PDB file of all heavy atoms in Angstrom:
ATOM      1  N   PHE E   5     -47.779 101.778 -28.831  1.00 98.00           N
ATOM      2  CA  PHE E   5     -47.924 100.594 -27.997  1.00 98.00           C
ATOM      3  C   PHE E   5     -49.412 100.452 -27.694  1.00 98.00           C
ATOM      4  O   PHE E   5     -49.997 101.305 -27.032  1.00 98.00           O
ATOM      5  CB  PHE E   5     -47.087 100.727 -26.729  1.00 98.00           C
ATOM      6  CG  PHE E   5     -45.607 100.736 -26.991  1.00 98.00           C
ATOM      7  CD1 PHE E   5     -44.941 101.922 -27.290  1.00 98.00           C
ATOM      8  CD2 PHE E   5     -44.882  99.561 -26.982  1.00 98.00           C
ATOM      9  CE1 PHE E   5     -43.577 101.940 -27.553  1.00 98.00           C
ATOM     10  CE2 PHE E   5     -43.516  99.553 -27.246  1.00 98.00           C
ATOM     11  CZ  PHE E   5     -42.852 100.753 -27.533  1.00 98.00           C
ATOM     12  N   THR E  12     -52.293  91.206 -22.071  1.00 98.00           N
ATOM     13  CA  THR E  12     -51.277  90.662 -21.175  1.00 98.00           C
ATOM     14  C   THR E  12     -50.170  91.700 -21.030  1.00 98.00           C
ATOM     15  O   THR E  12     -49.530  92.079 -22.013  1.00 98.00           O
ATOM     16  CB  THR E  12     -50.718  89.339 -21.721  1.00 98.00           C
ATOM     17  OG1 THR E  12     -51.785  88.378 -21.788  1.00 98.00           O
ATOM     18  CG2 THR E  12     -49.614  88.797 -20.830  1.00 98.00           C
ATOM     19  N   ALA E  13     -49.935  92.148 -19.804  1.00 98.00           N
ATOM     20  CA  ALA E  13     -49.066  93.301 -19.577  1.00 98.00           C
ATOM     21  C   ALA E  13     -47.638  93.093 -20.083  1.00 98.00           C
ATOM     22  O   ALA E  13     -47.060  93.982 -20.723  1.00 98.00           O
ATOM     23  CB  ALA E  13     -49.061  93.660 -18.093  1.00 98.00           C
ATOM     24  N   LEU E  14     -47.047  91.934 -19.804  1.00 98.00           N
ATOM     25  CA  LEU E  14     -45.652  91.722 -20.197  1.00 98.00           C
ATOM     26  C   LEU E  14     -45.489  91.715 -21.714  1.00 98.00           C
ATOM     27  O   LEU E  14     -44.421  92.080 -22.222  1.00 98.00           O
ATOM     28  CB  LEU E  14     -45.113  90.419 -19.597  1.00 98.00           C
ATOM     29  CG  LEU E  14     -43.629  90.131 -19.839  1.00 98.00           C
ATOM     30  CD1 LEU E  14     -42.747  91.275 -19.355  1.00 98.00           C
ATOM     31  CD2 LEU E  14     -43.219  88.821 -19.167  1.00 98.00           C
ATOM     32  N   ASP E  15     -46.533  91.312 -22.441  1.00 98.00           N
ATOM     33  CA  ASP E  15     -46.480  91.380 -23.908  1.00 98.00           C
ATOM     34  C   ASP E  15     -46.144  92.789 -24.372  1.00 98.00           C
ATOM     35  O   ASP E  15     -45.451  92.983 -25.377  1.00 98.00           O
ATOM     36  CB  ASP E  15     -47.838  90.996 -24.509  1.00 98.00           C
ATOM     37  CG  ASP E  15     -48.156  89.523 -24.416  1.00 98.00           C
ATOM     38  OD1 ASP E  15     -47.386  88.779 -23.771  1.00 98.00           O
ATOM     39  OD2 ASP E  15     -49.176  89.111 -24.979  1.00 98.00           O
ATOM     40  N   LEU E  16     -46.672  93.773 -23.659  1.00 98.00           N
ATOM     41  CA  LEU E  16     -46.478  95.177 -24.026  1.00 98.00           C
ATOM     42  C   LEU E  16     -45.220  95.751 -23.388  1.00 98.00           C
ATOM     43  O   LEU E  16     -44.423  96.424 -24.039  1.00 98.00           O
ATOM     44  CB  LEU E  16     -47.692  95.994 -23.597  1.00 98.00           C
ATOM     45  CG  LEU E  16     -47.756  97.425 -24.128  1.00 98.00           C
ATOM     46  CD1 LEU E  16     -48.204  97.413 -25.583  1.00 98.00           C
ATOM     47  CD2 LEU E  16     -48.706  98.273 -23.292  1.00 98.00           C
ATOM     48  N   VAL E  17     -45.052  95.480 -22.102  1.00 98.00           N
ATOM     49  CA  VAL E  17     -43.976  96.107 -21.337  1.00 98.00           C
ATOM     50  C   VAL E  17     -42.604  95.592 -21.767  1.00 98.00           C
ATOM     51  O   VAL E  17     -41.621  96.336 -21.767  1.00 98.00           O
ATOM     52  CB  VAL E  17     -44.196  95.888 -19.827  1.00 98.00           C
ATOM     53  CG1 VAL E  17     -43.011  96.424 -19.021  1.00 98.00           C
ATOM     54  CG2 VAL E  17     -45.478  96.581 -19.379  1.00 98.00           C
ATOM     55  N   GLY E  18     -42.512  94.313 -22.162  1.00 98.00           N
ATOM     56  CA  GLY E  18     -41.229  93.776 -22.605  1.00 98.00           C
ATOM     57  C   GLY E  18     -40.639  94.558 -23.766  1.00 98.00           C
ATOM     58  O   GLY E  18     -39.551  95.143 -23.647  1.00 98.00           O
ATOM     59  N   PRO E  19     -41.332  94.620 -24.903  1.00 98.00           N
ATOM     60  CA  PRO E  19     -40.792  95.397 -26.021  1.00 98.00           C
ATOM     61  C   PRO E  19     -40.714  96.893 -25.728  1.00 98.00           C
ATOM     62  O   PRO E  19     -39.838  97.584 -26.247  1.00 98.00           O
ATOM     63  CB  PRO E  19     -41.747  95.094 -27.180  1.00 98.00           C
ATOM     64  CG  PRO E  19     -42.944  94.465 -26.574  1.00 98.00           C
ATOM     65  CD  PRO E  19     -42.504  93.832 -25.296  1.00 98.00           C
ATOM     66  N   TYR E  20     -41.611  97.395 -24.882  1.00 98.00           N
ATOM     67  CA  TYR E  20     -41.536  98.810 -24.498  1.00 98.00           C
ATOM     68  C   TYR E  20     -40.197  99.102 -23.831  1.00 98.00           C
ATOM     69  O   TYR E  20     -39.523 100.094 -24.164  1.00 98.00           O
ATOM     70  CB  TYR E  20     -42.690  99.168 -23.561  1.00 98.00           C
ATOM     71  CG  TYR E  20     -42.562 100.556 -22.977  1.00 98.00           C
ATOM     72  CD1 TYR E  20     -42.953 101.678 -23.706  1.00 98.00           C
ATOM     73  CD2 TYR E  20     -42.040 100.746 -21.707  1.00 98.00           C
ATOM     74  CE1 TYR E  20     -42.812 102.954 -23.183  1.00 98.00           C
ATOM     75  CE2 TYR E  20     -41.887 102.012 -21.172  1.00 98.00           C
ATOM     76  CZ  TYR E  20     -42.283 103.112 -21.908  1.00 98.00           C
ATOM     77  OH  TYR E  20     -42.125 104.378 -21.384  1.00 98.00           O
ATOM     78  N   GLU E  21     -39.782  98.273 -22.882  1.00 98.00           N
ATOM     79  CA  GLU E  21     -38.521  98.503 -22.187  1.00 98.00           C
ATOM     80  C   GLU E  21     -37.333  98.423 -23.137  1.00 98.00           C
ATOM     81  O   GLU E  21     -36.336  99.116 -22.962  1.00 98.00           O
ATOM     82  CB  GLU E  21     -38.359  97.501 -21.043  1.00 98.00           C
ATOM     83  CG  GLU E  21     -39.286  97.731 -19.872  1.00 98.00           C
ATOM     84  CD  GLU E  21     -38.998  99.022 -19.120  1.00 98.00           C
ATOM     85  OE1 GLU E  21     -37.886  99.579 -19.272  1.00 98.00           O
ATOM     86  OE2 GLU E  21     -39.872  99.494 -18.391  1.00 98.00           O
ATOM     87  N   VAL E  22     -37.432  97.578 -24.146  1.00 98.00           N
ATOM     88  CA  VAL E  22     -36.354  97.454 -25.124  1.00 98.00           C
ATOM     89  C   VAL E  22     -36.260  98.691 -26.006  1.00 98.00           C
ATOM     90  O   VAL E  22     -35.178  99.234 -26.246  1.00 98.00           O
ATOM     91  CB  VAL E  22     -36.553  96.207 -25.998  1.00 98.00           C
ATOM     92  CG1 VAL E  22     -35.538  96.181 -27.147  1.00 98.00           C
ATOM     93  CG2 VAL E  22     -36.434  94.938 -25.167  1.00 98.00           C
ATOM     94  N   LEU E  23     -37.403  99.183 -26.470  1.00 98.00           N
ATOM     95  CA  LEU E  23     -37.407 100.209 -27.516  1.00 98.00           C
ATOM     96  C   LEU E  23     -37.521 101.645 -27.004  1.00 98.00           C
ATOM     97  O   LEU E  23     -36.906 102.556 -27.562  1.00 98.00           O
ATOM     98  CB  LEU E  23     -38.570  99.942 -28.484  1.00 98.00           C
ATOM     99  CG  LEU E  23     -38.519  98.614 -29.249  1.00 98.00           C
ATOM    100  CD1 LEU E  23     -39.846  98.364 -29.947  1.00 98.00           C
ATOM    101  CD2 LEU E  23     -37.372  98.627 -30.257  1.00 98.00           C
ATOM    102  N   ALA E  24     -38.305 101.853 -25.956  1.00 95.00           N
ATOM    103  CA  ALA E  24     -38.714 103.216 -25.608  1.00 95.00           C
ATOM    104  C   ALA E  24     -37.588 104.079 -25.068  1.00 95.00           C
ATOM    105  O   ALA E  24     -37.671 105.313 -25.129  1.00 95.00           O
ATOM    106  CB  ALA E  24     -39.863 103.170 -24.604  1.00 95.00           C
ATOM    107  N   VAL E  65     -46.846  98.132 -31.913  1.00 98.00           N
ATOM    108  CA  VAL E  65     -46.608  96.958 -31.074  1.00 98.00           C
ATOM    109  C   VAL E  65     -47.946  96.503 -30.495  1.00 98.00           C
ATOM    110  O   VAL E  65     -48.588  97.245 -29.755  1.00 98.00           O
ATOM    111  CB  VAL E  65     -45.615  97.261 -29.937  1.00 98.00           C
ATOM    112  CG1 VAL E  65     -45.412  96.012 -29.070  1.00 98.00           C
ATOM    113  CG2 VAL E  65     -44.278  97.750 -30.494  1.00 98.00           C
ATOM    114  N   PRO E  67     -49.887  93.734 -28.244  1.00 98.00           N
ATOM    115  CA  PRO E  67     -49.784  92.630 -27.286  1.00 98.00           C
ATOM    116  C   PRO E  67     -50.910  91.629 -27.465  1.00 98.00           C
ATOM    117  O   PRO E  67     -51.916  91.902 -28.121  1.00 98.00           O
ATOM    118  CB  PRO E  67     -49.904  93.342 -25.932  1.00 98.00           C
ATOM    119  CG  PRO E  67     -50.830  94.493 -26.232  1.00 98.00           C
ATOM    120  CD  PRO E  67     -50.467  94.939 -27.627  1.00 98.00           C
ATOM    121  N   VAL E  98     -46.944  90.461 -30.213  1.00 98.00           N
ATOM    122  CA  VAL E  98     -46.396  89.538 -29.228  1.00 98.00           C
ATOM    123  C   VAL E  98     -47.502  88.575 -28.825  1.00 98.00           C
ATOM    124  O   VAL E  98     -48.657  88.972 -28.647  1.00 98.00           O
ATOM    125  CB  VAL E  98     -45.893  90.291 -27.979  1.00 98.00           C
ATOM    126  CG1 VAL E  98     -45.315  89.305 -26.958  1.00 98.00           C
ATOM    127  CG2 VAL E  98     -44.852  91.344 -28.357  1.00 98.00           C
ATOM    128  N   VAL E 150     -45.607  85.751 -24.771  1.00 97.00           N
ATOM    129  CA  VAL E 150     -45.294  86.653 -23.672  1.00 97.00           C
ATOM    130  C   VAL E 150     -43.832  87.091 -23.605  1.00 97.00           C
ATOM    131  O   VAL E 150     -43.477  88.160 -24.092  1.00 97.00           O
ATOM    132  CB  VAL E 150     -45.742  86.046 -22.319  1.00 97.00           C
ATOM    133  CG1 VAL E 150     -45.691  87.091 -21.218  1.00 97.00           C
ATOM    134  CG2 VAL E 150     -47.166  85.486 -22.429  1.00 97.00           C
ATOM    135  N   SER E 151     -42.955  86.276 -23.016  1.00 98.00           N
ATOM    136  CA  SER E 151     -41.560  86.685 -22.832  1.00 98.00           C
ATOM    137  C   SER E 151     -40.830  86.864 -24.153  1.00 98.00           C
ATOM    138  O   SER E 151     -39.820  87.580 -24.220  1.00 98.00           O
ATOM    139  CB  SER E 151     -40.805  85.675 -21.963  1.00 98.00           C
ATOM    140  OG  SER E 151     -40.756  84.403 -22.595  1.00 98.00           O
ATOM    141  N   ALA E 152     -41.344  86.254 -25.230  1.00 98.00           N
ATOM    142  CA  ALA E 152     -40.723  86.405 -26.546  1.00 98.00           C
ATOM    143  C   ALA E 152     -40.818  87.845 -27.046  1.00 98.00           C
ATOM    144  O   ALA E 152     -40.130  88.214 -28.003  1.00 98.00           O
ATOM    145  CB  ALA E 152     -41.371  85.458 -27.556  1.00 98.00           C
ATOM    146  N   GLY E 153     -41.649  88.663 -26.415  1.00 98.00           N
ATOM    147  CA  GLY E 153     -41.723  90.069 -26.794  1.00 98.00           C
ATOM    148  C   GLY E 153     -40.403  90.793 -26.599  1.00 98.00           C
ATOM    149  O   GLY E 153     -40.087  91.730 -27.339  1.00 98.00           O
ATOM    150  N   ILE E 154     -39.618  90.376 -25.618  1.00 98.00           N
ATOM    151  CA  ILE E 154     -38.294  90.980 -25.419  1.00 98.00           C
ATOM    152  C   ILE E 154     -37.392  90.626 -26.594  1.00 98.00           C
ATOM    153  O   ILE E 154     -36.684  91.487 -27.131  1.00 98.00           O
ATOM    154  CB  ILE E 154     -37.687  90.521 -24.092  1.00 98.00           C
ATOM    155  CG1 ILE E 154     -38.573  90.963 -22.923  1.00 98.00           C
ATOM    156  CG2 ILE E 154     -36.268  91.072 -23.928  1.00 98.00           C
ATOM    157  CD1 ILE E 154     -38.110  90.465 -21.565  1.00 98.00           C
ATOM    158  N   ASP E 155     -37.440  89.369 -27.030  1.00 98.00           N
ATOM    159  CA  ASP E 155     -36.656  88.950 -28.194  1.00 98.00           C
ATOM    160  C   ASP E 155     -37.081  89.714 -29.446  1.00 98.00           C
ATOM    161  O   ASP E 155     -36.245  90.118 -30.267  1.00 98.00           O
ATOM    162  CB  ASP E 155     -36.832  87.448 -28.428  1.00 98.00           C
ATOM    163  CG  ASP E 155     -36.407  86.617 -27.235  1.00 98.00           C
ATOM    164  OD1 ASP E 155     -37.013  86.785 -26.163  1.00 98.00           O
ATOM    165  OD2 ASP E 155     -35.490  85.793 -27.366  1.00 98.00           O
ATOM    166  N   MET E 156     -38.387  89.887 -29.584  1.00 98.00           N
ATOM    167  CA  MET E 156     -38.884  90.649 -30.736  1.00 98.00           C
ATOM    168  C   MET E 156     -38.366  92.075 -30.680  1.00 98.00           C
ATOM    169  O   MET E 156     -37.914  92.624 -31.690  1.00 98.00           O
ATOM    170  CB  MET E 156     -40.414  90.635 -30.751  1.00 98.00           C
ATOM    171  CG  MET E 156     -41.045  91.300 -31.974  1.00 98.00           C
ATOM    172  SD  MET E 156     -41.134  93.119 -31.865  1.00 98.00           S
ATOM    173  CE  MET E 156     -42.398  93.298 -30.604  1.00 98.00           C
ATOM    174  N   GLY E 157     -38.430  92.692 -29.498  1.00 98.00           N
ATOM    175  CA  GLY E 157     -37.951  94.052 -29.364  1.00 98.00           C
ATOM    176  C   GLY E 157     -36.483  94.189 -29.711  1.00 98.00           C
ATOM    177  O   GLY E 157     -36.068  95.137 -30.382  1.00 98.00           O
ATOM    178  N   LEU E 158     -35.683  93.236 -29.278  1.00 98.00           N
ATOM    179  CA  LEU E 158     -34.252  93.270 -29.590  1.00 98.00           C
ATOM    180  C   LEU E 158     -34.002  93.045 -31.077  1.00 98.00           C
ATOM    181  O   LEU E 158     -33.104  93.662 -31.666  1.00 98.00           O
ATOM    182  CB  LEU E 158     -33.513  92.221 -28.755  1.00 98.00           C
ATOM    183  CG  LEU E 158     -33.412  92.531 -27.257  1.00 98.00           C
ATOM    184  CD1 LEU E 158     -32.911  91.313 -26.487  1.00 98.00           C
ATOM    185  CD2 LEU E 158     -32.503  93.727 -27.011  1.00 98.00           C
ATOM    186  N   ILE E 173     -28.599  97.440 -25.320  1.00 98.00           N
ATOM    187  CA  ILE E 173     -29.908  97.420 -24.655  1.00 98.00           C
ATOM    188  C   ILE E 173     -30.086  96.116 -23.889  1.00 98.00           C
ATOM    189  O   ILE E 173     -30.545  96.104 -22.735  1.00 98.00           O
ATOM    190  CB  ILE E 173     -31.036  97.606 -25.682  1.00 98.00           C
ATOM    191  CG1 ILE E 173     -30.984  99.014 -26.293  1.00 98.00           C
ATOM    192  CG2 ILE E 173     -32.399  97.363 -25.039  1.00 98.00           C
ATOM    193  CD1 ILE E 173     -31.877  99.189 -27.503  1.00 98.00           C
ATOM    194  N   LEU E 177     -30.663  95.753 -19.801  1.00 97.00           N
ATOM    195  CA  LEU E 177     -31.778  95.016 -19.202  1.00 97.00           C
ATOM    196  C   LEU E 177     -31.319  93.775 -18.445  1.00 97.00           C
ATOM    197  O   LEU E 177     -32.129  93.140 -17.760  1.00 97.00           O
ATOM    198  CB  LEU E 177     -32.771  94.593 -20.290  1.00 97.00           C
ATOM    199  CG  LEU E 177     -33.461  95.704 -21.083  1.00 97.00           C
ATOM    200  CD1 LEU E 177     -34.362  95.106 -22.152  1.00 97.00           C
ATOM    201  CD2 LEU E 177     -34.249  96.619 -20.164  1.00 97.00           C
TER     202      LEU E 177
END
Side-chain angles (χ1 to χ4, degrees):
F5 293 87
T12 298
L14 185 55
D15 287 7
L16 191 77
V17 175
Y20 172 81
E21 289 293 342
V22 172
L23 298 169
V65 179
V98 180
V150 192
S151 63
I154 299 176
D155 301 62
M156 185 279 289
L158 289 169
I173 293 168
L177 298 178

